[in-house]
DNA sequence: TAGTGGTCTAGACCACCGT
DNA sequence: CGGTGGTCTAGACCACTAA
């Protein structure tokens, strides 16, 4: 079937005109996969995939506006409602940001609204009796080294053992007290040229730097939390007694295509702050 | 304005007929609140609110089907698309569950799909090399007492100090090893008749019991995590050395109307498991 | 086969934003 | 004021489920 069923006796749409056009109306039956039932791919998901591809390829950069819904509808030769549904889901996944009256924009880690999307550490009592919010902390880079990936790191980042990785260590402080020791691992190839100087020169969220300077946008992350005892080194750096309980937050961060591109281990003294989570 | 703008010269809809009918088409300007800009309440949100009220009042019980979209559209005198959008958001918030070809159902903590919605504890390695999943643990009730609410408990549950609360303590074990000690606080008035015997007799998720026997459905929860050192009592019960690091998960669970109705403190030995979270 | 949710379209109007 | 996203409608057809 090649035309919309609801199409009121209209003239057939001209084909081609250089616009990429999804396979058919009303979705497409993809070939039945080896396991499981055949899947149905609705039109709006195909549009979604096309938009995702444009985002990945950098057709629109973080912070920029994408074309209006009307324009996109014309480009893909679908109704505005279909484009709308595609954008809706991308906006729900924080890939895009809608702003009424202005347009739809590529999400960016520079913007305040999404700045601390991945930060779950909160002070136990909100400062100044105000609303609970992300904790204001200052960051100090301890070191930034290039080395061969240990087995465990390579496995998690889906690299070959021995490939070069970058290790960053930094301390997050609040009120001059050390709160979190972060140990960050990055694939060397993707972050060529990253150095301690460059990190020190940059103020703002790390993910903003990655996005602006290395074209790598962090999309989602998974975290595993454990309580551990501080060993001698950690105890010294965090200024606690050896054996003190620490909250270990291990985060794997993913870019497009579900590629893991950052491993982060945060060691946290949770006497004055906590990890906050909402279950919905 | 009283009629849909797109209404093609149609006859005016009969008014009344016993159906509750939202204020107007195309949303309603609510009176400007004291602080902030005037709010706009679209029709579908009004429908949403009406559906929520029916859920709260128990017009449809957990597990039951609600009327079809067509029926609801007729009842509220709006288009199916508007009902659809209302349901969409409720389904996203796990209030309802859509099942294609069957209908839309009131979510229940008895169903497998939502059974472990609030359980974030996972084994470090999935059992049998399978996919990662919630950890299978067996529960033992240690005690269930009725007492006057301590200040802190009362504050969190929004009760008056000294009001009667129920305290449940239970141990979760995996492979016969103690893993999590749970201390659960409930408002006595809402859970009248809850006893250790009744808890022991019931197998299945606690929230299923609360929903079926006390008409209290848990909707959402917030959690605060800290790493703490095991005191003598905890160490004994969890079979670890005093001072061992434990993961403390403090959960506040809410029913309808954003009323907190459960406080839960879980003390966890995270040597073989962890707390899992997805950041999106 | 009937009924339910899911997709798609076309068109109108509204709220919001910048100029 | 024009343009953008946001809401609402009406109607057609598709996919899925159960009888």
């Amino acid at each position: 079937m090649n035309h919309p069923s609801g199409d009121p006796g209209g003239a057939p749409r001209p084909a081609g005109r250089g616009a990429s056009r999804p396979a058919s109306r009303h979705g497409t039956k993809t070939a039945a996969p080896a396991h499981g039932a055949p899947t149905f791919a609705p039109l709006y998901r195909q549009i979604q995939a096309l938009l995702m591809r444009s985002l990945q390829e950098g057709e629109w950069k973080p912070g920029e506006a994408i074309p209006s819904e009307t324009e996109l509808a014309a480009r893909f030769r679908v109704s505005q409602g279909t484009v709308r549904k595609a954008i809706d889901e991308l906006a729900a996944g924080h890939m895009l940001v809608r702003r009424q009256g202005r347009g739809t924009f590529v999400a960016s880690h520079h913007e305040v609204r999404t700045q601390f999307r991945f930060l779950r550490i909160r002070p136990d009592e909100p400062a100044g009796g105000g609303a609970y919010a992300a904790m204001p902390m200052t960051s100090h880079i301890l070191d930034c080294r290039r080395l061969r990936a240990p087995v465990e790191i390579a496995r998690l980042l889906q690299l070959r053992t021995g490939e070069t990785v970058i290790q960053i260590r930094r301390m997050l402080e609040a009120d001059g007290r050390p709160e979190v020791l972060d140990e960050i691992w990055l694939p060397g190839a993707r972050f060529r040229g990253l150095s301690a100087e460059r990190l020190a020169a940059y103020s703002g969220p790390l993910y903003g730097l990655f996005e602006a300077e290395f074209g790598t946008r962090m999309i989602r992350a998974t975290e595993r939390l454990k309580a551990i005892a501080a060993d001698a080194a950690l105890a010294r750096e965090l200024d606690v007694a050896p054996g003190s309980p620490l909250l270990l937050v291990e985060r794997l961060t993913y870019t497009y295509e579900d590629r893991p591109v950052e491993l982060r281990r945060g060691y946290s003294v949770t006497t004055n702050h906590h990890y906050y989570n909402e279950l919905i």
Side-chain angles (χ1 to χ4, degrees), chain A:
Chain A
M1 187 188 295
N2 225 356
H3 277 286
S5 357
D7 205 349
R13 283 189 185 68
R17 280 243 315 253
S20 48
R21 180 70 180 69
S24 88
R25 296 314 206 184
H26 299 302
T28 307
K29 270 235 175 59
T30 59
H35 308 291
T39 329
F40 177 72
L43 236 195
Y44 75 87
R45 282 206 185 282
Q46 302 175 43
I47 306 293
Q48 214 178 62
L50 290 174
L51 291 174
M52 269 299 259
R53 201 159 55 114
S54 291
L55 288 172
Q56 258 172 85
E57 291 171 355
E59 179 172 346
W60 315 297
K61 300 255 177 289
E64 289 180 12
I66 70 170
S68 76
E69 295 181 353
T70 323
E71 273 181 84
L72 289 171
R75 163 156 156 192
F76 296 130
R77 305 186 159 272
V78 297
S79 82
Q80 196 208 354
T82 301
V83 169
R84 193 169 179 70
K85 188 151 187 181
I87 292 181
D88 274 346
E89 292 198 359
L90 293 177
H94 299 110
M95 312 296 309
L96 298 172
V97 179
R98 321 190 75 136
R99 280 181 240 181
Q100 181 168 153
R102 308 226 284 127
T104 301
F105 299 78
V106 182
S108 161
H109 283 284
H110 288 285
E111 296 168 46
V112 193
R113 317 154 73 125
T114 49
Q115 183 118 201
F116 300 115
R117 187 148 67 89
F118 291 163
L119 177 55
R120 299 304 184 95
I121 302 290
R122 296 245 204 298
D124 283 349
E125 301 307 330
Y132 285 83
M135 188 136 136
M137 291 190 286
T138 59
S139 159
H140 297 277
I141 303 295
L142 303 179
D143 50 64
C144 174
R145 306 181 299 160
R146 221 154 276 270
L147 35 85
R148 308 213 162 272
V151 199
E152 177 69 357
I153 306 295
R155 185 179 66 81
L156 289 168
L157 287 176
Q158 293 178 19
L159 302 172
R160 285 183 301 279
T161 307
E163 245 182 302
T164 94
V165 289
I166 300 172
Q167 189 209 46
I168 303 169
R169 298 192 339 117
R170 68 167 184 184
M171 181 65 75
L172 297 179
E173 301 183 352
D175 303 324
R177 261 200 333 272
E179 296 281 346
V180 185
L181 180 72
D182 267 337
E183 180 185 292
I184 299 169
W185 299 84
L186 302 163
R190 186 179 282 261
F191 293 92
R192 209 175 296 284
L194 186 58
S195 63
E197 297 73 45
R198 203 140 162 211
L199 285 167
Y202 187 86
S203 78
L206 219 44
Y207 291 156
L209 174 76
F210 295 165
E211 162 187 308
E213 311 264 329
F214 299 94
T216 296
R217 233 192 89 66
M218 303 302 190
I219 300 304
R220 66 177 196 95
T222 62
E223 292 188 331
R224 295 161 69 131
L225 283 72
K226 275 176 179 274
I228 61 162
D231 61 24
L234 277 172
R236 190 178 350 102
E237 296 192 275
L238 285 166
D239 193 24
V240 294
S244 296
L246 297 178
L247 182 65
L248 164 60
V249 181
E250 183 175 280
R251 177 191 298 176
L252 248 189
T253 323
Y254 296 78
T255 4
Y256 297 107
E257 312 255 67
D258 255 18
R259 284 195 60 78
V261 287
E262 183 205 45
L263 171 64
R264 184 183 290 211
R265 292 206 179 107
Y267 299 90
S268 236
V269 185
T270 56
T271 46
N272 296 302
H273 66 258
H274 60 270
Y275 181 99
Y276 181 76
N277 197 17
E278 307 214 348
L279 274 37
I280 27 179

